[in-house]
Amino acid sequence: MPAGKPQVQDYIRTIVDFPHEGILFRDVTTLFADPRGFRMAIDQLLHPYAGVQFDKVIGLEARGFILGGAVAHQLSAGFVPIRKKGKLPGAVIAEEYTLEYGEAVVEIHDDAIQPGEKVLIVDDLLATGGTAEAGIKLIERLGGEIIGCAFIVDLPELGGRKKLEAMGMDIHVLCEFDGL
C-alpha cells in the first residue's frame, strides 16, 4: 500500500492474464477483505446520495450483491438482486444482452420493484456496461425510477460509462483503471 492516506484503488489488486491472456483483472475481493477499505468504499459509494430517499438498492450479479447489501443497510432501503438466468425462484422478467464472446440473460423477480419506487444500482465494475444496461431495462420495465448507478471501478476504455450516460443515467465511480 502506498505511503500516505490510502485510496480505494490502493486496496484493489490486479491479476495479469485472468480470465484470458491480455486481460488485467481488477480484483475487488482484496478491498472487501479489508475492514477499513470496505467501509471506505461503502461510504464513498453513498456520499453523492446523502439525503436522498431510496426504496430499493439493486445489486448486479455477483459482487454487486456484497456491495448492494451493505449500501441498502446504510440507506435503510430494501435490497433486490439482478441475477443470471435460472437463479431466481418464482416469476421473473428477463433481459438479454451481448457479451464480447456471446450473449447472456439477467433476471429480476416480476414483483421486486413497484412503479415509482426510487432505486440505486450498485456493482463493483463498469466495463462495457452490458450487464448494467440490461439491469436498467429490467428496472424500467417494472416502473422503477433509477436515481443513480454507483460502481467502485470504471474501465473507461471499454465505454460503459458513456453508454449508460447516453441512456440518461447518473453515474458515480470511485476510481478508474486504464487497460482492459
Side-chain angles (χ1 to χ4, degrees):
M1 190 131 346
K5 186 176 179 186
Q7 302 296 310
V8 167
Q9 61 266 28
D10 298 329
Y11 292 94
I12 299 169
R13 76 175 152 196
T14 298
I15 300 175
V16 178
D17 294 332
F18 182 85
H20 307 290
E21 188 174 334
I23 302 293
L24 298 174
F25 184 81
R26 307 307 178 171
D27 181 17
V28 296
T29 62
T30 49
L31 170 69
F32 295 166
D34 186 283
R36 277 181 248 135
F38 188 52
R39 174 164 293 284
M40 179 191 307
I42 298 304
D43 290 348
Q44 289 180 15
L45 284 172
L46 289 165
H47 182 74
Y49 309 107
V52 178
Q53 288 293 116
F54 289 96
D55 299 298
K56 306 273 174 62
V57 174
I58 312 300
L60 302 176
E61 176 124 5
R63 289 172 295 273
F65 300 166
I66 297 164
L67 296 167
V71 169
H73 171 75
Q74 290 296 105
L75 292 172
S76 297
F79 172 77
V80 175
I82 289 184
R83 302 226 44 201
K84 293 177 184 172
K85 182 178 178 153
K87 300 291 185 180
L88 290 171
V92 298
I93 61 170
E95 187 70 35
E96 192 173 281
Y97 64 102
T98 304
L99 300 166
E100 58 274 10
Y101 49 83
E103 306 220 326
V105 177
V106 289
E107 298 177 329
I108 189 171
H109 281 122
D110 66 359
D111 61 354
I113 299 168
Q114 300 307 306
E117 284 189 315
K118 293 178 176 13
V119 304
L120 174 64
I121 298 173
V122 178
D123 202 5
D124 68 319
L125 183 90
L126 178 56
T128 65
T131 306
E133 178 183 21
I136 289 164
K137 289 177 179 178
L138 288 172
I139 294 162
E140 289 177 341
R141 283 169 50 195
L142 292 176
E145 181 186 342
I146 302 165
I147 304 300
C149 302
F151 302 90
I152 293 177
V153 176
D154 180 22
L155 302 178
E157 292 173 32
L158 298 180
R161 182 180 191 136
K162 287 180 182 171
K163 177 190 286 188
L164 300 185
E165 287 175 340
M167 296 175 72
M169 295 295 116
D170 175 54
I171 307 300
H172 172 56
V173 297
L174 303 189
C175 61
E176 295 181 351
F177 285 98
D178 292 331
L180 303 180

